[in-house]
């Protein structure tokens, strides 16, 4: 969302998030920040898994995606160019294509 050519998209989503109920947002953020991790059980995932990560994601970065990949048997990492942490908003066509590819491959 630091890309100057995406200023309008950033403004749209900033307005969307700032118009949310503040108490609800605080509870949602706390839920994410204080949730129990799954690193001790992630290796139990036994289904084919596509791990999607934005190349510019600073929260769940490529390094974290690679760690997940190393722990999940039958997984692949797909890097989404030009995308940060909000890939479905920033690059919806890429996200949809990756989901479609995954579903077609394992259907």
């Amino acid at each position: 969302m630091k890309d100057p050519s995406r200023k309008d998209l950033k403004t749209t989503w900033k307005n969307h998030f700032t118009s949310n109920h503040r108490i609800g947002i605080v509870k949602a953020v706390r839920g994410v920040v204080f949730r129990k991790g799954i690193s001790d059980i992630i290796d139990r995932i036994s289904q084919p898994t596509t791990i999607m990560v934005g190349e510019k994601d600073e929260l769940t970065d490529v390094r974290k995606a690679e760690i997940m990949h190393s722990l999940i048997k039958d997984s692949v990492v797909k890097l989404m160019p030009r995308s940060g942490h909000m890939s479905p908003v920033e690059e919806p066509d890429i996200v949809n294509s990756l989901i479609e590819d995954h579903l077609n491959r394992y259907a």
Side-chain angles (χ1 to χ4, degrees), residues 76-95:
V76 296
V77 174
K78 298 293 183 173
L79 187 63
M80 294 175 285
R82 294 179 20 127
S83 184
H85 193 66
M86 294 178 47
S87 301
V89 171
E90 297 167 306
E91 295 294 342
D93 292 338
I94 293 173
V95 170

Side-chain angles (χ1 to χ4, degrees), residues 36-86:
K36 182 179 183 284
I38 63 163
S39 59
D40 57 334
I41 60 171
I42 195 169
D43 62 337
R44 294 184 195 169
I45 296 173
S46 60
Q47 298 300 312
T49 304
T50 298
I51 301 164
M52 297 183 283
V53 61
E55 75 173 347
K56 299 187 183 298
D57 192 334
E58 296 174 4
L59 298 174
T60 307
D61 59 20
V62 175
R63 182 184 57 79
K64 289 178 184 174
E66 291 292 345
I67 291 169
M68 287 187 274
H69 170 58
S70 74
L71 296 170
I72 302 171
K73 188 178 5 175
D74 200 14
S75 67
V76 296
V77 174
K78 298 293 183 173
L79 187 63
M80 294 175 285
R82 294 179 20 127
S83 184
H85 193 66
M86 294 178 47

Side-chain angles (χ1 to χ4, degrees), residues 6-25:
R6 296 179 173 202
K7 183 179 178 186
D8 291 342
L9 180 64
K10 181 178 180 179
T11 299
T12 297
W13 282 95
K14 181 179 179 183
N15 291 338
H16 172 75
F17 286 123
T18 57
S19 70
N20 281 306
H21 190 272
R22 288 183 183 207
I23 293 172
I25 291 296

